[in-house]
Amino acid sequence: MLLVGLTGGIGAGKSTVARMLAERGAVILDADAFARDAVRAGTPGFERVVARFGREVVGPDGELDRAKLASIVFRDPEALRDLEAIVHPEVRRMIDEGVVANAGTDRIVVLVNPLLIEMGTHRDCDVVVVVAASAATQEERSVARGMDRDDVRARMAVQMPLEERARRADVIIDNDGSLDELEPQVERLWSELRARASEAGVPEDRS
């Protein structure tokens, strides 16, 4: 198994890169999906979030209103730390389970995590990939997805600066352009990952 950490700021396009890698045969471990699972209705995480933030963060469907919760925590550093203290341990557990499940295989496993470096998980990765885009691009893409512009800016303000992420990267993917410009970069990355896996003695995934 070759473990690849994939990270980037909001709207940078890490999910798109992850999808392209999955199409080429990578196994994807999505920390955002794990974070959602960690606080689904009925879980201990859900109950802890409601106890900390109140019933107003619960939507009509009985699940957490993620937009409402985000509007609180990304404007209050202490609230954000409290939420992370609830969610991060469970996310780490799910990541560990995914890694163990693929250990000893010939797979290239991609851990997609916007907080890869902040959580220290990058230290466990064989390769760290940062998806980069300008702040203006990140903002416009996020707004185009339906996010409130002020919420996007609040999230960007508390995320690790691109320059700091880049210092820890083995590979930087420039995603300020189109999908047509992104595709060949991902193809080169995939070739590099397969070569690195081979050099490390990991057989190529034939799936």
Side-chain angles (χ1 to χ4, degrees):
M1 178 188 71
L2 185 76
L3 184 60
V4 180
L6 177 64
T7 191
I10 185 173
K14 59 188 174 296
S15 296
T16 301
V17 172
R19 174 181 56 77
M20 291 178 173
L21 291 172
E23 290 169 353
R24 287 163 169 80
V27 175
I28 305 298
L29 303 178
D30 187 340
D32 276 347
F34 293 157
R36 289 191 291 272
D37 289 342
V39 292
R40 291 200 184 279
T43 63
F46 175 90
E47 299 301 332
R48 291 180 64 193
V49 170
V50 174
R52 168 60 178 84
F53 296 98
R55 296 296 304 181
E56 60 267 26
V57 299
V58 179
D61 61 353
E63 296 286 350
L64 292 178
D65 183 334
R66 296 176 62 81
K68 174 68 174 178
L69 187 58
S71 71
I72 295 171
V73 301
F74 287 109
R75 289 173 170 79
D76 182 342
E78 183 177 354
L80 180 59
R81 286 192 296 271
D82 289 346
L83 180 63
E84 289 175 343
I86 295 170
V87 176
H88 285 185
E90 186 67 4
V91 171
R92 288 191 182 95
R93 182 188 67 77
M94 294 178 182
I95 289 170
D96 289 345
E97 286 182 353
V99 170
V100 168
N102 289 282
T105 71
D106 59 0
R107 297 169 185 145
I108 295 174
V109 178
V110 179
L111 170 57
V112 187
N113 188 352
L115 299 177
L116 183 83
I117 297 168
E118 292 90 328
M119 292 175 68
T121 315
H122 67 292
R123 300 187 187 95
D124 301 323
C125 298
D126 300 304
V127 183
V128 175
V129 179
V130 171
V131 183
S134 68
T137 297
Q138 289 179 250
E139 182 176 324
E140 292 309 316
R141 283 179 182 156
S142 300
V143 170
R145 293 202 307 255
M147 295 185 64
D148 178 80
R149 191 175 296 275
D150 288 341
D151 284 347
V152 174
R153 290 174 175 171
R155 292 192 189 206
M156 290 174 64
V158 300
Q159 290 187 336
M160 178 178 285
L162 173 58
E163 295 77 11
E164 193 169 345
R165 280 196 176 100
R167 283 199 294 270
R168 294 168 171 82
D170 297 302
V171 179
I172 298 175
I173 298 290
D174 179 1
N175 191 27
D176 234 5
S178 66
L179 288 174
D180 286 342
E181 293 170 308
L182 179 62
E183 188 80 37
Q185 294 186 74
V186 175
E187 181 59 33
R188 284 195 298 272
L189 171 62
W190 184 243
S191 296
E192 291 169 8
L193 294 177
R194 287 169 67 91
R196 180 149 181 169
S198 178
E199 291 169 4
V202 179
E204 289 185 353
D205 189 349
R206 298 298 183 181
S207 61

